[in-house]
Amino acid sequence: RDGWKEDSGYHRRSLAENMMFRLKQLGDRLFSRTFERQVAEAHVPVVILNGFTYLGMPRSVRAGQIAPAA
């Protein structure tokens, strides 16, 4: 089973599907009429998700070093 997941790229596809689900939870419709405003409107939830992802990432430091204060 693990070999199948690796051969088919299942893990990467699963991560992408999960991200699309989270993106749609923030709103799955565009209300603007012009393309430029639709692009800007679509960027907002992406920026929010990227911010949440960044906040949830661990801070890694080499052993023996002191991590900088946030």
Side-chain angles (χ1 to χ4, degrees), residues 5-6 8:
K5 286 182 178 182
E6 203 168 304
S8 67

Side-chain angles (χ1 to χ4, degrees), residues 2-68:
D2 289 336
W4 166 81
K5 286 182 178 182
E6 203 168 304
D7 292 340
S8 67
Y10 177 80
H11 181 68
R12 288 180 57 96
R13 186 168 50 246
S14 175
L15 290 174
E17 288 176 8
N18 187 276
M19 180 59 75
M20 288 304 298
F21 172 76
R22 288 185 277 161
L23 184 63
K24 289 180 180 181
Q25 292 300 303
L26 293 175
D28 59 348
R29 293 183 55 197
L30 297 176
F31 295 97
S32 300
R33 292 186 180 194
T34 63
F35 179 72
E36 292 80 13
R37 289 182 181 176
Q38 288 177 352
V39 169
E41 191 176 338
H43 274 92
V44 172
V46 172
V47 170
I48 291 170
L49 281 178
N50 285 342
F52 285 147
T53 301
Y54 176 75
L55 289 173
M57 303 251 328
R59 293 193 182 156
S60 300
V61 294
R62 288 181 180 225
Q65 291 183 341
I66 299 174

